Amino acid sequence: MARWEPGARERLVVAAVDLFTEQGYDATTVAQIAERAGVTKSTFFRHFADKRELLVAGQETLGRLLAEGIAEAPADATPLQAVAAGLERASAAMGPMNRELGPRLKAAVAASAELQERDALKSVSLAAAMTAALAARGVPGPTAALAGELGVLAFKRGYAEWSEGDREADDDLAGYALAALEELRAASASLG
Amino acid sequence: MARWEPGARERLVVAAVDLFTEQGYDATTVAQIAERAGVTKSTFFRHFADKRELLVAGQETLGRLLAEGIAEAPADATPLQAVAAGLERASAAMGPMNRELGPRLKAAVAASAELQERDALKSVSLAAAMTAALAARGVPGPTAALAGELGVLAFKRGYAEWSEGDREADDDLAGYALAALEELRAASASLG
């Protein structure tokens, strides 16, 4: 039995990702997504302006949360401590739906050149959001850029482990993302 | 007076980038690119399969050169020394045309959502190429991923400074990319 009851918005996202995997992003219509989700087209349009917006909406929220966590970290936090605060803030917004979606999204991206481009843009824009939030704290450019990239790597590696592991477990994304960040911090000492 | 005489392939790339900036990627046709470059459509198709290939060709070459430089670095090179060898190898292939193209490409990317996605995919694929080449040398996963990201940041930062600075100067990209890598290496000590 499902551990969560998805609402219309969540069902639309899951239906879209499944259809993108099955038949490609280009070939999938809003009508098909709505039908698969068991809602009307007008319900779709109450939640999303179009098919593309369905993918972009999550990215903008994520970038905002990462940046907010960084901005609100204690004044004496190091750059990576601020990134950790951003990861915690963003992770708190990722629930069971995001966890279940992980492997499906991965399959959809693997199957579509267009979704690979969108996924790459997402990585780059999240790094830019974190870099800008760090720069606003007075972190110098190269350090901010590097810490932003570490933040994205940690989020992606943590999310992959969280969503590909035991999805019935009761653990949050935050622990995985912070462990990945710590692993990357340790790795930075062996770059040579 | 131009310091280099571009051939048909170079003229096609410059014409394409200018047209993408002026009227967008989608609206630009192969016929327009050929006309602007002063060559026939069949000359275009001797060099590129289509409009998209014109952008992707350079990316694949770049990824291959970065990976080759890393693969052929001395066995006792540290991960970042191997990345530096990759940057040197790739930089050696970047001539006056690439330098002149920098600011135009930047303008074209700024003006087009599609080119932003392609540019992001380029960054991600170059990082993946370097990460894979480092992993093949036995560098552990997190260190390889991090060094690959540093390599891309260094290449992009070095390229931006090289192509936005004095384009008549007689200096190579390699010096800029290696200086950017060193700056990032130093920054990694202040991540906290």
Side-chain angles (χ1 to χ4, degrees), chain A residues 52 78-81 113-114 116-124 141-143 145-147 149-150 153 156-157 183-192, chain B residues 52 78-81 113-114 116-124 141-143 145-147 149-150 153 156-157 183-192:
Chain A
R52 190 169 178 283
T78 66
L80 280 194
Q81 285 167 347
E114 173 147 16
Q116 281 158 35
E117 297 192 358
R118 280 227 49 76
D119 192 56
L121 186 63
K122 179 174 177 177
S123 294
V124 169
T143 309
L146 188 52
E149 296 292 343
L150 258 78
L153 281 177
K156 288 169 72 175
R157 293 170 80 96
E183 192 178 40
L184 289 162
R185 193 193 62 74
S188 73
S190 57
L191 287 169
Chain B
R52 191 170 177 284
T78 66
L80 280 195
Q81 285 167 348
E114 173 148 17
Q116 279 158 36
E117 296 191 359
R118 281 228 47 77
D119 192 55
L121 186 62
K122 179 175 178 178
S123 294
V124 169
T143 310
L146 188 51
E149 296 291 343
L150 258 77
L153 281 178
K156 288 169 72 175
R157 294 171 80 95
E183 194 177 39
L184 289 162
R185 193 194 62 74
S188 73
S190 57
L191 287 169

Side-chain angles (χ1 to χ4, degrees), chain B residues 5 9 33 43 101 123 153 158:
Chain B
E5 279 302 323
R9 187 180 174 94
I33 296 170
T43 299
L101 212 54
S123 294
L153 281 178

